[in-house]
Amino acid sequence: MSTSDQDLVDETGPGDNWQKVQASPEFAELRKRLRAFVFPMTVLFLVWYLVYVLLADYAHGFMSTKLIGNFNVGLLIGLLQFVSTFLITGLYVRYANRKLDPIADKLRGEIEGGAQ
């Protein structure tokens, strides 16, 4: 364990050094990476949802355009809302596995005193 790692772990226990962890460059990088995904994706999804709501309210003719039988554009876009939710979830899991979890695991190891 390096000196910087030892600074994160003290004799009082893992819960008492959260301020040291929060001030660490690794934690700042973790937050930066999380925000780099979450904020743009949130904006993108909210805009996508707002477009759906506005179309439903102001574009009745377009939304009621039949595609197949009684299946119309409004229903298609509504179902795509669910698809986009699952897609975003999958993208987040992949992003977290590659970009967030390694840093979080390192920090957890340092906090719990298990880092080598």
Side-chain angles (χ1 to χ4, degrees):
M1 193 181 302
S2 69
T3 306
S4 65
D5 293 343
Q6 288 174 344
D7 291 342
L8 293 175
V9 179
D10 61 21
E11 295 77 32
T12 59
D16 295 329
N17 58 8
W18 62 270
Q19 288 178 325
K20 291 178 188 175
V21 172
Q22 195 174 26
S24 72
E26 292 89 2
F27 188 77
E29 179 65 22
L30 181 62
R31 288 180 58 174
K32 177 182 169 191
R33 289 183 183 190
L34 178 66
R35 288 176 176 166
F37 181 89
V38 170
F39 289 155
M41 198 58 68
T42 300
V43 169
L44 180 69
F45 183 77
L46 289 176
V47 167
W48 163 235
Y49 181 71
L50 182 62
V51 166
Y52 171 64
V53 170
L54 291 174
L55 285 172
D57 197 30
Y58 295 107
H60 297 279
F62 172 70
M63 295 294 269
S64 63
T65 303
K66 293 188 182 218
L67 299 174
I68 300 171
N70 287 328
F71 190 77
N72 60 29
V73 172
L75 187 55
L76 174 66
I77 295 174
L79 291 173
L80 287 175
Q81 293 289 319
F82 290 100
V83 172
S84 65
T85 300
F86 290 116
L87 178 67
I88 290 169
T89 301
L91 290 172
Y92 175 76
V93 167
R94 193 174 80 182
Y95 182 82
N97 286 339
R98 289 184 304 123
K99 303 281 188 174
L100 303 177
D101 290 349
I103 296 173
D105 291 342
K106 181 177 184 261
L107 282 171
R108 184 180 309 112
E110 291 172 357
I111 292 168
E112 294 173 354
Q116 300 283 331

